[in-house]
Amino acid sequence: GGIARPAQPIITSHGLKRAKSDEETKQAEKQRIRRAIERGGPREETARRLKISPKTLYRRIDEYGLTFLLTG
């Protein structure tokens, strides 16, 4: 839901390739968060590596259904 946002452009070494859909953007973020959590370490450090706040990290973990990764 919510307000539709313009698609995020993908910039390559050859210039503008195409625009990412919101779904592609979300899937890419989900994978980045999953890999960062699997790398281990305190959640605050994980959030710092992702350049987001710990509050945003927890919100995204919930949004993307990644709570099963929080086993400690």
Side-chain angles (χ1 to χ4, degrees), residues 10-18:
I10 298 173
I11 307 295
T12 67
S13 59
H14 305 291
L16 188 60
K17 185 176 179 184
R18 65 179 180 87

Side-chain angles (χ1 to χ4, degrees), residues 30-44:
K30 180 179 178 179
Q31 289 305 314
R32 261 185 48 235
I33 290 171
R34 182 180 187 137
R35 284 191 302 267
I37 293 169
E38 289 172 342
R39 183 174 164 190
R43 297 294 165 244
E44 291 77 15

Side-chain angles (χ1 to χ4, degrees), residues 28-65:
E29 181 180 52
K30 180 179 178 179
Q31 289 305 314
R32 261 185 48 235
I33 290 171
R34 182 180 187 137
R35 284 191 302 267
I37 293 169
E38 289 172 342
R39 183 174 164 190
R43 297 294 165 244
E44 291 77 15
E45 177 60 30
T46 300
R48 198 173 11 250
R49 285 195 313 262
L50 292 166
K51 296 185 170 107
I52 60 176
S53 73
K55 183 176 178 178
T56 298
L57 175 61
Y58 281 104
R59 195 168 51 242
R60 293 285 166 34
I61 287 169
D62 187 52
E63 178 183 344
Y64 296 140

Side-chain angles (χ1 to χ4, degrees), residues 17-32:
K17 185 176 179 184
R18 65 179 180 87
K20 271 189 177 180
S21 70
D22 281 347
E23 185 60 31
E24 287 172 313
T25 301
K26 286 180 181 181
Q27 287 302 316
E29 181 180 52
K30 180 179 178 179
Q31 289 305 314
R32 261 185 48 235

